């Protein structure tokens, strides 16, 4: 199996799907001649031409609407958001149109479109460029939301997203693009809606997704050294949530910590806790603990930026709390 | 001088306008009876626009509108009973009662919806037109929107792209001079909406939207221009709504005199008078059309009234397309009519994308001129 960077895995998925289906096209700012703001679309303009790799003007609302309209009549657009921070300008088209077309038309229309781009905090960019927005999109019926942690999942989920008949939000890890991992060649599909146990353990479950997975791994290693066996469930898809997998891991370990990069209020993690307490309460030996970003806007100052985000020590502390160990 | 219009064309346009008028009057009445709820925006006064457009384009051209969307599908050939049932929130409606007044969709007749967010459909229309170019189809997309929608960001963002990429789309601004209670002149720096096309290098024109023949001529010309690959057109149809913004609006922001003056321009008698003066049709022929339409609309109300409310399990349908799920074909579902013209798109293998948004030679020339290496 080839070792690929996360961005290369996405590139491969895009190229393979465009090869497979001429209805697939990519539109976004700098996706063509600039080769992608984060180089996800590197080389695609030469391969597929300017009608399929489209350099859009800086008009997030406009080109998102264009994409949705194209999907309504059978094309399969992939709309690249330079980052999800700017997709906020396109919210109306994503939420009020893409997510609702099938419903409002009584099942006449479908909208097979992918909105994708980098999300997540960090990099000393301050408030407007540094935020994890997945819970915003996970809120809306009619959308599917995926957030892969590894290069292999990134490829497999993007392929699924492009083939899906529904609008799919794909939040990539801005800080994961250069990360390397084994990626199966060719037809590698990761189904939407299926979580993945990335690490088997028996004392506590860490439930997470995207970049936070790596902090969980770091925490798990430390905890393992102290004799605590940690299971990590990577949700991968945030809408629909894989309830079965969430309940199964809690059944196994009887303790859970939910780790989320975004803000606590109305976060996806809050929903995970609700699923556990309403359907898996009898399996719990301790209240579920959440580790989230702090409920503040992101700062530029290095120390503040670090303090705002979850990290391995915070996760370790949370695990000790659900295990009723020292320091909690 | 003999009229250059055929009797058939005039009578068809008359029938459509009369249907729209009659339908909307009955819808207003049913709203008063509590059968229709929510917002209900009537089209009364603006019928010449939809009728003129419809006869000037092809039935398989795409169309979208805003929330004032009952009448345009009727002009396309949608079933009046099913539109009325949608307004009633009943199973027999085009969207099974889930969309209501502001969201009429009839894909069989290529009517891609009414939208409740002012201006939102302007972006969608560009995407549909983009798809036509992408697939080398010569169909155009007609997009209706109001004068107030022209102040939305999406209008400007979309016009820019539509011109740059020569998208085959006809934007028709139905300028009825008001956005809800606000006269457009009070809030628009340039109230002649079509002039905004100038800033984008877009063909633009204003048309008397109270004259169905003028609409017909202008749209025929614009559609030919667009179909020939010249890019989009911005057309402003100057029209007037005789009623309030919606059924909830008594329209106290305009004077009685103004409305009375505008009513003198009513496009429906205007066409009838013209046809009779030109000796193209007799008064009795119009009487017969009116009688038929009245019965059609009565039947539509009856159909809507007798159609059941959706069952509660409908709540869980039509949000996500499940694996292998077919699209709903409303007339098949409701009337049992076999729908044969449901849109089919070429699959990936059959589709050849030959078109270039930014032709390579041009790009290379530009690079060279700038001293860049590609
Ligand atoms: C984004 C948005 N803002 C406000 C409204 C409320 N609203 C509905 S219709 C309307 C007036 C729009 O007028 P215009 O576009 O001229 O269309 P007309 O009603 O005249 O046909 C307003 C303000 C809305 N539906 N959507």
């Amino acid at each position: 199996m080839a070792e690929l960077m996360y961005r290369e895995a996405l590139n491969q998925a895009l190229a393979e799907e465009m090869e497979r289906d001429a209805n697939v096209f990519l539109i976004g700012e700098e996706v063509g001649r600039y080769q992608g703001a984060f180089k996800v679309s590197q080389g695609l303009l030469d391969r597929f031409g300017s009608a399929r790799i489209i350099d859009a003007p800086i008009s997030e609302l406009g080109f998102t609407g264009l994409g949705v309209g194209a999907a309504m009549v059978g094309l399969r657009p992939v709309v690249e958001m330079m980052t999800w921070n700017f997709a906020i300008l396109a919210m109306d088209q994503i939420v009020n149109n893409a997510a609702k077309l099938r419903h409002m038309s009584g099942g006449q229309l479908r909208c097979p479109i992918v909105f994708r781009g980098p999300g997540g905090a960090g990099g000393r960019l301050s408030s407007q460029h540094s935020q994890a927005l997945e819970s915003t999109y996970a809120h809306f019926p009619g959308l599917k939301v995926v957030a892969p942690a590894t290069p292999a999942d990134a490829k497999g989920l993007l392929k699924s997203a492009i083939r899906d008949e529904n609008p799919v939000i794909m939040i990539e890890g801005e800080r994961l693009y250069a990360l390397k991992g084994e990626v199966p060649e060719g037809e590698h599909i990761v189904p939407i809606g299926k979580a993945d146990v990335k690490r088997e353990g028996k004392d506590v479950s860490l439930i997470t997704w995207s970049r936070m997975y790596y902090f969980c791994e770091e925490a798990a290693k430390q905890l393992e050294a102290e004799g605590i066996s940690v299971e990590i469930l990577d949700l991968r898809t945030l809408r629909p949530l894989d309830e079965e997998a969430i309940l199964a891991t809690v059944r196994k370990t009887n303790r859970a910590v939910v780790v989320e990069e975004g803000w606590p209020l109305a976060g996806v993690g809050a929903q995970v806790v609700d699923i556990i307490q309403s359907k898996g309460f009898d399996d719990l030996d301790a209240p579920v603990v959440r580790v989230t970003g702090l409920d503040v806007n992101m700062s530029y100052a290095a120390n503040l930026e670090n303090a705002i985000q979850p990290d391995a020590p915070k996760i370790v502390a949370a695990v000790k709390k659900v295990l009723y160990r020292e320091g909690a | 001088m003999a009229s250059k219009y055929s009797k058939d064309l005039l009578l068809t346009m008359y029938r459509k306008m009369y249907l729209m008028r009659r339908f909307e009057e009955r819808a207003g009445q049913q709203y008063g009876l509590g059968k229709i709820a929510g917002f209900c925006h009537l089209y009364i006064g603006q019928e010449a626009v939809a009728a003129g457009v419809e006869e000037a384009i092809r039935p398989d051209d795409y169309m979208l509108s805003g929330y004032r969307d009952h009448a345009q599908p009727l002009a396309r050939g949608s079933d009046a009973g099913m539109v009325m049932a949608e307004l009633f929130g009943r199973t027999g409606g085009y969207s099974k009662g889930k969309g209501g007044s502001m969201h009429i969709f009839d894909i069989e007749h290529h009517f891609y919806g009414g939208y409740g967010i002012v201006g939102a459909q302007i972006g969608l229309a560009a995407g549909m037109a983009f798809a036509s170019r992408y697939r080398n189809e010569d169909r155009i997309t007609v997009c209706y929107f109001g004068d107030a929608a022209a102040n939305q960001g999406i209008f400007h963002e979309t016009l820019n792209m539509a011109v740059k990429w020569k998208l085959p789309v006809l934007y028709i601004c139905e300028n009825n001079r008001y956005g809800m209670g606000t006269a457009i002149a009070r809030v628009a720096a340039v109230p002649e909406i079509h002039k905004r096309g100038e800033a984008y290098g877009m063909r633009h024109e204003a048309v008397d939207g109270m004259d169905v023949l003028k609409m017909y001529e202008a749209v025929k010309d614009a559609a030919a221009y667009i179909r020939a690959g010249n890019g989009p057109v911005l057309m402003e149809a100057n029209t007037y709504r005789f009623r309030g913004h919606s059924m909830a609006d008594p329209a106290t922001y305009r004077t009685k005199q103004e409305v009375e003056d505008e009513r003198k321009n009513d496009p429906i008698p205007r066409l009838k008078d013209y046809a009779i003066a030109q000796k193209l049709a007799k008064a009795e022929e119009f009487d017969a059309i009116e009688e038929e339409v009245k019965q059609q609309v009565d039947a539509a109300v009856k159909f809507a009234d007798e159609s059941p409310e959706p069952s509660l399990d409908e709540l869980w349908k039509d949000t996500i397309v499940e694996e292998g799920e077919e699209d709903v074909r409303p007339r098949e579902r409701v009337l049992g009519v076999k729908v044969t013209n449901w849109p089919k798109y070429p699959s990936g293998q059959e589709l050849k994308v030959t078109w270039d948004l930014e032709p390579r030679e041009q790009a290379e020339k530009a690079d060279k001129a700038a001293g860049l290496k590609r």
Side-chain angles (χ1 to χ4, degrees):
Chain A
M1 233 185 300
E3 275 253 309
L4 290 185
M5 280 193 272
Y6 189 95
R7 66 158 61 90
E8 292 168 336
L10 290 165
N11 179 281
Q12 201 174 78
L14 271 171
E16 285 175 15
E17 291 309 297
M18 290 188 70
E19 204 68 73
R20 205 182 137 260
D21 184 350
N23 290 297
V24 180
F25 71 94
L26 176 71
I27 183 167
E29 290 155 13
E30 310 293 357
V31 297
R33 298 185 72 195
Y34 190 83
Q35 309 294 331
F38 291 90
K39 302 292 171 244
V40 170
S41 55
Q42 183 108 40
L44 297 184
L45 175 64
D46 274 337
R47 223 165 130 185
F48 298 104
S50 66
R52 297 187 67 195
I53 303 292
I54 303 169
D55 279 324
I58 304 177
S59 299
E60 281 78 7
L61 180 64
F63 69 72
T64 301
L66 186 146
V68 175
M72 282 163 60
V73 289
L75 295 189
R76 306 187 82 86
V78 178
V79 178
E80 177 171 310
M81 300 297 177
M82 191 178 269
T83 79
W84 280 99
N85 304 288
F86 316 143
I88 293 172
L89 278 86
M91 272 303 251
D92 176 53
Q93 289 296 330
I94 298 175
V95 168
N96 273 322
N97 284 342
K100 296 172 183 164
L101 278 165
R102 188 153 185 89
H103 181 82
M104 298 193 302
S105 68
Q108 292 177 74
L109 275 182
R110 52 184 70 200
C111 188
I113 187 168
V114 180
F115 306 102
R116 50 153 289 270
R124 309 282 310 273
L125 299 171
S126 189
S127 312
Q128 294 179 339
H129 278 65
S130 194
Q131 45 196 338
L133 294 167
E134 40 270 48
S135 73
T136 307
Y137 297 93
H139 195 59
F140 296 102
L143 299 178
K144 294 186 177 181
V145 182
V146 301
T150 64
D153 285 351
K155 176 175 176 184
L157 278 171
L158 181 51
K159 286 173 81 83
S160 290
I162 291 173
R163 295 182 197 186
D164 203 282
E165 291 297 318
N166 298 286
V168 180
I169 305 283
M170 177 149 174
I171 301 186
E172 298 157 8
E174 181 166 328
R175 318 203 58 72
L176 300 180
Y177 278 130
L179 184 122
K180 279 193 163 172
E182 304 245 290
V183 179
E185 259 144 63
E187 191 70 356
H188 166 62
I189 302 281
V190 172
I192 293 177
K194 285 269 171 278
D196 184 36
V197 177
K198 287 248 172 5
R199 183 189 188 92
E200 300 258 6
K202 47 188 198 326
D203 297 331
V204 60
S205 300
L206 291 176
I207 302 174
T208 192
W209 64 91
S210 193
R211 180 167 72 111
M212 294 298 114
Y213 159 66
Y214 297 95
F215 294 140
C216 288
E217 270 293 345
E218 209 180 310
K221 281 195 194 109
Q222 273 180 45
L223 290 160
E224 215 77 26
E226 296 179 35
I228 298 166
S229 163
V230 178
E231 175 146 308
I232 302 178
L233 182 71
D234 174 7
L235 290 175
R236 298 196 295 199
T237 299
L238 307 178
R239 178 183 265 276
L241 279 167
D242 189 347
E243 290 199 7
E244 248 336 288
I246 293 168
L247 295 172
T249 187
V250 173
R251 217 175 291 130
K252 187 168 161 196
T253 64
N254 312 111
R255 292 166 204 272
V257 171
V258 185
V259 183
E260 167 168 23
E261 183 172 355
W263 296 289
L265 188 85
V268 175
Q271 186 66 24
V272 174
V273 175
D274 179 71
I275 290 168
I276 297 172
Q277 73 86 23
S278 61
K279 296 183 182 165
F281 187 74
D282 291 345
D283 294 316
L284 284 177
D285 284 345
V288 182
V289 171
R290 289 176 73 197
V291 178
T292 69
L294 300 188
D295 204 9
V296 297
N297 286 319
M298 186 56 70
S299 285
Y300 170 71
N303 64 328
L304 297 183
E305 188 188 59
N306 281 332
I308 289 167
Q309 300 178 70
D311 58 14
K314 288 179 188 169
I315 297 167
V316 167
V319 166
K320 291 191 173 167
K321 194 170 169 191
V322 291
L323 285 161
Y324 302 120
R325 295 278 179 102
E326 52 29 82
Chain B
M1 200 181 81
S3 169
K4 57 179 173 168
Y5 304 108
S6 74
K7 171 179 181 175
D8 193 41
L9 174 71
L10 297 190
L11 291 187
T12 300
M13 293 198 297
Y14 188 80
R15 180 184 290 274
K16 288 187 172 175
M17 288 201 288
Y18 197 78
L19 171 62
M20 292 186 253
R21 175 68 56 90
R22 197 75 205 169
F23 181 96
E24 292 287 63
E25 283 169 355
R26 287 305 296 276
Q29 182 194 49
Q30 297 301 305
Y31 189 93
L33 294 172
K35 301 267 185 183
I36 298 172
F39 293 140
C40 181
H41 310 89
L42 301 182
Y43 197 68
I44 293 176
Q46 305 185 194
E47 295 89 348
V49 184
V53 168
E54 191 57 39
E55 295 318 295
I57 63 173
R58 289 195 328 225
D60 68 335
D61 286 331
Y62 295 139
M63 185 180 284
L64 312 87
S65 183
Y67 44 80
R68 199 178 295 285
D69 64 341
H70 319 150
Q72 296 127 352
L74 294 177
R76 301 231 87 182
S78 298
D79 185 88
M82 290 179 64
V83 177
M84 192 64 87
E86 190 58 38
L87 305 190
F88 277 46
R90 303 294 175 85
T91 319
Y94 271 96
S95 301
K96 310 176 185 170
K98 296 175 179 183
S101 164
M102 296 190 283
H103 310 295
I104 305 295
F105 286 81
D106 175 4
I107 304 314
E108 182 194 347
H109 290 98
H110 306 283
F111 189 79
Y112 278 78
Y115 295 85
I117 304 297
V118 168
Q121 71 275 22
I122 295 173
L124 300 177
M128 292 167 67
F130 172 85
S132 301
R133 275 207 74 174
Y134 194 90
R135 295 198 194 96
N136 302 316
E137 298 167 347
D138 68 345
R139 60 153 62 99
I140 67 169
T141 298
V142 174
C143 179
Y144 291 102
F145 61 97
D147 40 280
N151 290 329
Q152 284 282 25
I154 195 153
F155 172 81
H156 300 275
E157 296 191 18
T158 305
L159 258 50
N160 178 55
M161 291 185 292
V163 172
K164 194 69 202 159
W165 299 336
K166 293 198 174 181
L167 301 181
V169 54
L170 172 57
Y171 283 112
I172 299 189
C173 175
E174 293 186 282
N175 189 345
N176 58 22
R177 310 220 299 259
Y178 294 89
M180 270 183 81
T182 302
I184 188 68
R186 287 177 53 213
V187 289
V190 178
E192 299 99 327
I193 304 300
H194 74 97
K195 287 189 183 164
R196 298 179 184 196
E198 196 66 31
Y200 298 100
M202 181 168 176
R203 174 170 152 174
H204 59 91
E205 64 203 280
V207 183
D208 178 359
M210 300 304 266
D211 183 335
V212 69
L213 293 171
K214 292 212 172 96
M215 278 308 302
Y216 169 79
E217 291 294 350
V219 174
K220 241 191 149 38
D221 200 52
Y225 169 91
I226 297 166
R227 244 185 268 283
N230 295 306
V233 171
L234 175 60
M235 184 178 288
E236 178 174 8
N238 287 303
T239 179
Y240 199 80
R241 61 168 157 75
F242 295 163
R243 307 281 282 260
H245 166 69
S246 74
M247 284 304 296
D249 168 26
T252 48
Y253 44 82
R254 44 187 208 187
T255 62
K256 251 200 173 113
Q257 191 58 49
E258 177 181 314
V259 181
E260 263 169 38
D261 288 348
E262 291 300 331
R263 276 189 183 276
K264 288 182 196 134
N265 270 332
D266 191 328
I268 298 181
R270 218 164 136 179
L271 177 64
K272 191 202 272 189
D273 293 346
Y274 172 83
I276 292 172
Q278 294 286 321
K279 296 197 170 27
L280 277 168
K282 298 196 190 68
E284 303 84 76
E285 290 177 279
F286 287 101
D287 293 346
I289 288 174
E290 288 169 15
E291 189 49 39
E292 278 166 34
V293 169
K294 271 179 208 164
Q295 285 177 16
Q296 185 186 356
V297 174
D298 284 349
V301 173
K302 185 161 181 287
F303 172 83
D305 221 8
E306 287 171 356
S307 176
E309 287 187 317
S311 65
L312 286 182
D313 62 319
E314 276 295 331
L315 277 175
W316 304 103
K317 296 181 186 158
D318 306 325
T319 296
I320 285 286
V321 187
E322 305 294 346
E323 191 107 345
E325 185 184 346
E326 293 287 319
D327 295 334
V328 171
R329 301 179 179 199
R331 285 205 312 148
E332 268 184 29
R333 175 177 65 81
V334 176
L335 307 175
V337 176
K338 187 85 197 137
V339 173
T340 50
N341 57 338
W342 195 257
K344 248 210 195 116
Y345 308 108
S347 74
Q349 283 74 22
E350 296 159 50
L351 182 61
K352 271 245 171 341
V353 186
T354 51
W355 157 59
D356 239 349
L357 265 185
E358 193 185 8
R360 186 52 63 94
E361 313 85 76
Q362 241 166 283
E364 274 166 8
K365 232 191 251 163
D367 281 355
K368 236 190 191 157
L372 295 174
K373 238 174 64 195
R374 226 171 125 71

